[in-house]
Amino acid sequence: MSQVTLPHDAKAGPTKPEVRAVTLDKLGLRPTDHFVDVGSCTGSVTIEAARRVERVTAVERKPNRLDVTRKNLAANEYDADVTLREAEAPDGLPDDADAMFVGGSRNFDAVLDHAVDTGVDRVVMNVSRVEPAGDAIEAFRERGLLSEVVQMQVSHGYELAGATSFRSNNPVYVVVGRRGAEGL
């Protein structure tokens, strides 16, 4: 995976590189896909997807975070046609997406309803808190989307007293959905 440059900070995120790798793998992006990033924040997932697909729509409700997405996009190379939309999802979501990443838990029920109603084929939602993760799993299940849940715990090594110790990131729940999924 090529390096993503994120010189601008959104005071939230970004989705960590290891989590992005798994998320994008689970989305199974194809070159002809229209990918939607719901809650783009720093744009890290938007950038990664823009290197893999023809079209990307990034939706972010906070103007300052959308500006960070824009600036971070400008600092990276990609070939996709990228559209940025300031809106609170599900407003601003396109009706022709093939794959969707939901980066937070705000309004996720309405976002999933939109995905189902418009025929989005693949949806992945990352959640870092236990209670919203349970809610998300149930929401995917209720809509016939749930195909897999992955819990990730990433730690990075550092030197401590001449030996290697590890500093942990918070766990992330990767909820994976596919249209017509039969559950876990």
Side-chain angles (χ1 to χ4, degrees):
M1 184 177 301
S2 56
Q3 191 69 20
V4 171
T5 301
L6 300 171
H8 303 279
D9 184 10
K11 305 292 186 240
T15 301
K16 303 295 186 260
E18 298 85 359
V19 176
R20 281 197 313 263
V22 170
T23 297
L24 291 163
D25 179 71
K26 296 301 181 184
L27 281 164
L29 296 177
R30 296 176 280 232
T32 58
D33 278 346
H34 180 188
F35 170 78
V36 178
D37 185 356
V38 182
S40 63
C41 198
T42 64
S44 65
V45 175
T46 300
I47 294 162
E48 293 277 9
R51 293 174 173 171
R52 298 171 186 224
V53 302
E54 288 180 356
R55 288 190 305 150
V56 174
T57 300
V59 179
E60 174 57 61
R61 70 184 178 92
K62 293 186 174 182
N64 59 324
R65 288 185 180 174
L66 190 63
D67 190 47
V68 169
T69 298
R70 182 179 291 105
K71 289 176 181 176
N72 284 334
L73 275 163
N76 287 272
E77 293 183 17
Y78 58 90
D79 292 323
D81 175 23
V82 178
T83 301
L84 303 179
R85 294 183 178 169
E86 182 185 328
E88 184 160 346
D91 294 340
L93 296 178
D95 291 337
D96 64 343
D98 302 294
M100 178 181 288
F101 170 65
V102 183
S105 57
R106 185 180 190 93
N107 296 340
F108 74 87
D109 283 308
V111 170
L112 292 178
D113 288 340
H114 177 87
V116 169
D117 292 346
T118 60
V120 175
D121 187 52
R122 290 153 278 139
V123 181
V124 171
M125 180 175 173
N126 290 354
V127 188
S128 60
R129 295 174 294 142
V130 173
E131 293 81 4
D135 294 342
I137 292 165
E138 190 57 32
F140 273 66
R141 183 178 285 121
E142 289 170 354
R143 289 161 178 82
L145 293 172
L146 186 64
S147 67
E148 183 178 11
V149 181
V150 177
Q151 189 272 337
M152 295 184 63
Q153 174 70 54
V154 177
S155 301
H156 290 267
Y158 68 97
E159 188 173 327
L160 178 65
T164 303
S165 190
F166 286 86
R167 189 170 290 119
S168 300
N169 290 332
N170 286 333
V172 175
Y173 301 88
V174 182
V175 185
V176 181
R178 304 220 180 274
R179 191 167 25 134
E182 298 189 19
L184 300 177

